[in-house]
């Protein structure tokens, strides 16, 4: 969890350790299910209907952050979702100190690149996107997705 955020997670996904003591990366599908559970819990607690578009946006943000941690950050080291005001905060930690970057959709020769759309998607759908260095190394990216 980013040091600035002190809320208790609604859902936390622990990345399981295998026999070698190495942690396995959490999968984007795990992140999507965790977000769905957290939002369902919020809606039940407040007795309000869940907005399908907001759920979809939050799941996409969680999926992209998790996939980016796996592809570019050395694997997921932590994941949780908590409620903040009228939204949910998705936090994903990884092993890398490198900041996310936006890559142009074409390379220098004008050829279309595969991928490179995750970070712009996160920045477009979420509010209050923050990247925090972790004391033990790596980083935590948090993004608040509005639910209404």
């Amino acid at each position: 969890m980013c040091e600035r955020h002190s809320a208790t997670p609604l859902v936390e996904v622990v990345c399981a350790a295998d026999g070698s003591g190495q942690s396995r990366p959490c999968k984007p599908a795990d992140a999507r299910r965790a977000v769905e559970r957290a939002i369902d819990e919020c809606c039940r607690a407040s007795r309000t209907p869940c907005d399908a578009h907001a759920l979809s946006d939050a799941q996409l943000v969680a999926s992209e952050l998790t996939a980016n941690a796996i592809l570019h950050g050395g694997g997921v080291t932590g994941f949780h979702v908590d409620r903040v005001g009228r939204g949910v905060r998705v936090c994903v930690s990884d092993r890398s100190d490198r900041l996310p970057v936006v890559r142009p959709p074409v390379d220098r020769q004008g050829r279309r690149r595969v991928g490179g759309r995750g970070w712009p998607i996160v920045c477009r759908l979420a509010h209050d996107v923050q990247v925090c260095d972790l004391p033990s190394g790596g980083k935590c990216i948090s993004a608040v997705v509005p639910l209404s």
Side-chain angles (χ1 to χ4, degrees):
M1 180 187 285
C2 290
E3 299 302 316
R4 289 182 248 174
H5 303 305
S6 59
T8 303
L10 291 171
V11 175
E12 190 160 13
V13 176
V14 177
C15 299
D18 61 17
S20 69
Q22 300 291 326
S23 60
R24 287 185 288 141
C26 295
K27 299 174 187 167
D30 298 332
R32 290 189 298 272
R33 284 191 294 274
V35 166
E36 183 174 18
R37 285 193 313 269
I39 291 176
D40 283 346
E41 185 178 311
C42 290
C43 292
R44 275 196 308 276
S46 65
R47 297 179 186 216
T48 58
C50 289
D51 181 303
H53 294 293
L55 171 60
S56 178
D57 288 351
Q59 287 179 308
L60 182 54
V61 166
S63 186
E64 289 296 337
L65 289 176
T66 304
N68 285 348
I70 293 166
L71 293 171
H72 309 292
V76 176
T77 58
F79 175 92
H80 72 269
V81 182
D82 55 25
R83 179 84 185 250
V84 287
R86 299 182 69 160
V88 291
R89 179 185 305 120
V90 176
C91 295
V92 178
S93 300
D94 65 36
R95 292 178 178 85
S96 175
D97 295 329
R98 292 183 302 154
L99 297 174
V101 294
V102 176
R103 298 186 64 182
V106 294
D107 65 16
R108 292 180 185 183
Q109 289 78 32
R111 297 176 298 214
R112 296 191 73 61
R113 293 181 193 265
V114 175
R117 292 167 184 80
W119 186 242
I121 287 171
V122 169
C123 293
R124 182 176 177 113
L125 295 177
H127 299 220
D128 192 26
V129 177
Q130 296 182 14
V131 181
C132 304
D133 291 327
L134 297 174
S136 59
K139 67 182 169 297
C140 173
I141 299 178
S142 69
V144 177
V145 182
L147 293 180
S148 55

